Amino acid sequence: MRDISYRVALGGIVSALCLVSMFLAGVLPALYLVLPMIAGMLLMIIAAEVGKRWALMTYISVSLLSMIITFDKEAALIFIMLFGHYPILRLYIEKLRSKLLMLIIKLAVFNVCAVSYFYVTVYIFGIEEMVDEFERFGKYAMAVVLLICNLIFLMYDFCLRSFYDTYRKRLMHKLKRKK
């Protein structure tokens, strides 16, 4: 177990990198989905190095700070509702033996989060233009968009697995402190 100063320092560095990523989402609006994904991937480093509870605390701190100091509140909400907690939750889901059950749980988590994000955006933040856009494209537009989002999510999950495996196999041992 790493000492407390190492955990706090690593948590601070990863938090800062996540916040820079979230801040850039306001500066580069075309990347408002990609940058929260990257911030979520960074939380996996905390989970691998010092534990999932520290990663959860880092997620909470980045979530609160991103809602306060970043320009793009929509990107911050995406981070909070999906891309921030999912990489940590994914580490628990991956412990299941059944690949089919893992896939079902992952897709269920994503769909609950995606639909919740939609309703929070429309009914709490009052961005009702989203509903108008879906109505303009027909009654199946929402289902088609959700299907496409599920495919993108599966690609993101594959990227998370690849990143985590690469980190554990190639980078983690190089970053170990020498005592």
Side-chain angles (χ1 to χ4, degrees):
M1 172 87 48
R2 304 277 180 149
D3 59 343
I4 191 77
S5 61
Y6 175 79
R7 290 184 265 177
V8 170
L10 184 63
I13 290 168
V14 170
S15 294
L17 289 172
C18 289
L19 284 171
V20 166
S21 178
M22 297 304 297
F23 181 76
L24 286 174
V27 177
L28 304 167
L31 300 177
Y32 85 99
L33 287 175
V34 174
L35 292 168
M37 288 179 182
I38 291 170
M41 289 175 104
L42 292 171
L43 292 176
M44 291 181 81
I45 294 171
I46 296 287
E49 287 290 327
V50 294
K52 295 173 191 86
R53 285 190 300 170
W54 278 84
L56 184 63
M57 288 188 296
T58 305
Y59 158 71
I60 291 169
S61 66
V62 171
S63 296
L64 292 173
L65 288 171
S66 67
M67 284 304 285
I68 295 169
I69 66 172
T70 61
F71 298 125
D72 192 348
K73 300 304 182 205
E74 189 175 0
L77 190 61
I78 289 171
F79 175 79
I80 291 168
M81 295 190 77
L82 179 64
F83 297 126
H85 68 82
Y86 177 73
I88 301 164
L89 181 62
R90 183 187 174 282
L91 296 173
Y92 290 106
I93 296 170
E94 288 289 316
K95 291 182 180 179
L96 299 172
R97 295 186 189 268
S98 170
K99 300 282 185 191
L100 180 62
L101 183 60
M102 276 193 297
L103 180 65
I104 290 170
I105 292 173
K106 287 177 182 181
L107 288 174
V109 166
F110 171 74
N111 285 300
V112 166
C113 291
V115 170
S116 299
Y117 166 76
F118 174 77
Y119 283 110
V120 166
T121 303
V122 171
Y123 296 111
I124 293 179
F125 288 119
I127 305 174
E128 296 176 6
E129 293 86 21
M130 291 177 76
V131 175
D132 297 336
E133 290 295 322
F134 284 120
E135 288 176 357
R136 189 169 58 168
F137 289 110
K139 63 181 180 178
Y140 298 112
M142 183 81 86
V144 170
V145 168
L146 194 58
L147 178 66
I148 292 170
C149 288
N150 275 281
L151 295 174
I152 292 169
F153 171 75
L154 291 174
M155 288 187 280
Y156 175 64
D157 187 63
F158 176 77
C159 289
L160 284 175
R161 181 174 24 135
S162 299
F163 173 77
Y164 190 70
D165 290 345
T166 301
Y167 178 77
R168 300 274 304 183
K169 291 177 185 171
R170 296 190 180 178
L171 297 174
M172 193 173 191
H173 71 280
K174 292 180 182 177
L175 298 176
K176 294 277 184 196
R177 292 187 306 165
K178 299 191 177 170
K179 295 193 180 206

